[in-house]
Amino acid sequence: AQSVAQPEDQVNVAEGNPLTVKCTYSVSGNPYLFWYVQYPNRGLQFLLKYITGDNLVKGSYGFEAEFNKSQTSFHLKKPSALVSDSALYFCAVRARNSGGYQKVTFGTGTKLQVIP
Amino acid sequence: GAVVSQHPSWVICKSGTSVKIECRSLDFQATTMFWYRQFPKQSLMLMATSNEGSKATYEQGVEKDKFLINHASLTLSTLTVTSAHPEDSSFYICSARDPSGRVVEETQYFGPGTRLLVL
């Protein structure tokens, strides 16, 4: 079974400071990893994904994530936080399940609060 | 990028009635769409996978007779909550696969969600 853990329910960071939102995963075989952001009462917006290749993945809005196979982690990072980055962030992993469908498993989400 | 819409964005209904939620891929064809349910301050729970022209695949514990899914075209999937009850109140989100041509690199794109309140 595949799973995703986001150990922090909430992360607070001052505007202009670097931010990190943590994610670890468990999956059989090679992981396909994703980060999504959700604003209040809205669906999820795709930020970035790791499929293969460089461990450092760059995505939308200045976000990036680093795939670490040995630590089974895929932490989301941004060098300088903006107040507008305040939202709920979901990490997700995908692997082919027994039925052949590309089922995605989401973490429980981390609320990012950027303080002006 | 790929755009997915949902209609309605919110709905209030009486207990016992049925509610239909539409999910459309606006600028691409989606052979597969997914329906999720999200409770407050919780993650997304996959309810079912909707395949164009065939029956949906439901996750364990999801009542297929209560949550009817129809994927009649490559751009439209519908979720009907039949005989809705207050416990069905939730935020329902659909997603569709980005048809990038390579299955391994597919990304799911999400609709804005539909908030259902059953009184």
Side-chain angles (χ1 to χ4, degrees), chain A residues 32 34 36 38 41-44 46 49 51 90 94 96 101-104 106-108, chain B residues 36 38 43-44 46 51 57 59 91 93 97 103-108 110-112 115:
Chain A
Y32 307 133
F34 305 82
Y36 290 87
Q38 184 181 32
N41 297 311
R42 300 301 301 272
L44 275 65
F46 170 75
K49 66 182 176 184
I51 302 296
F90 288 97
R94 198 187 85 212
R96 189 177 295 276
Y101 293 101
Q102 300 282 341
K103 180 178 178 179
V104 177
F106 288 85
T108 52
Chain B
Y36 293 86
Q38 185 181 30
S43 188
L44 280 71
L46 178 64
N51 296 293
T57 301
E59 295 299 303
F91 194 51
I93 305 175
R97 284 179 177 170
V103 174
V104 70
E105 294 190 5
E106 285 183 351
T107 299
Q108 287 188 29
F110 288 80
R115 186 160 302 281

Side-chain angles (χ1 to χ4, degrees), chain A residues 25 28 47 99:
Chain A
Y25 66 90
S28 298
L47 278 180

Side-chain angles (χ1 to χ4, degrees), chain B residues 25-58:
Chain B
S25 55
L26 298 185
D27 51 1
F28 66 99
Q29 293 182 330
T31 55
T32 303
M33 291 184 176
F34 304 89
W35 286 97
Y36 293 86
R37 184 173 179 178
Q38 185 181 30
F39 293 99
K41 299 183 180 181
Q42 293 189 27
S43 188
L44 280 71
M45 182 192 77
L46 178 64
M47 298 174 66
T49 301
S50 170
N51 296 293
E52 187 268 337
S54 64
K55 292 182 178 180
T57 301
Y58 289 82

Side-chain angles (χ1 to χ4, degrees), chain B residues 32-92:
Chain B
T32 303
M33 291 184 176
F34 304 89
W35 286 97
Y36 293 86
R37 184 173 179 178
Q38 185 181 30
F39 293 99
K41 299 183 180 181
Q42 293 189 27
S43 188
L44 280 71
M45 182 192 77
L46 178 64
M47 298 174 66
T49 301
S50 170
N51 296 293
E52 187 268 337
S54 64
K55 292 182 178 180
T57 301
Y58 289 82
E59 295 299 303
Q60 191 173 10
V62 178
E63 299 177 60
K64 61 181 181 181
D65 293 331
K66 181 170 185 61
F67 297 99
L68 300 179
I69 291 174
N70 184 279
H71 196 155
S73 77
L74 288 172
T75 59
L76 173 64
S77 175
T78 60
L79 168 68
T80 301
V81 183
T82 62
S83 187
H85 288 93
E87 57 265 30
D88 298 324
S89 299
S90 190
F91 194 51
Y92 293 87

Side-chain angles (χ1 to χ4, degrees), chain A residues 1 23-24 28 31 50 54 76 80-81 83 90 93 97 106 109 111 114 116:
Chain A
C23 171
T24 59
S28 298
Y50 172 82
D54 290 340
L76 180 70
S80 178
V83 173
F90 288 97
V93 65
N97 65 18
F106 288 85
K111 182 179 180 180
V114 180

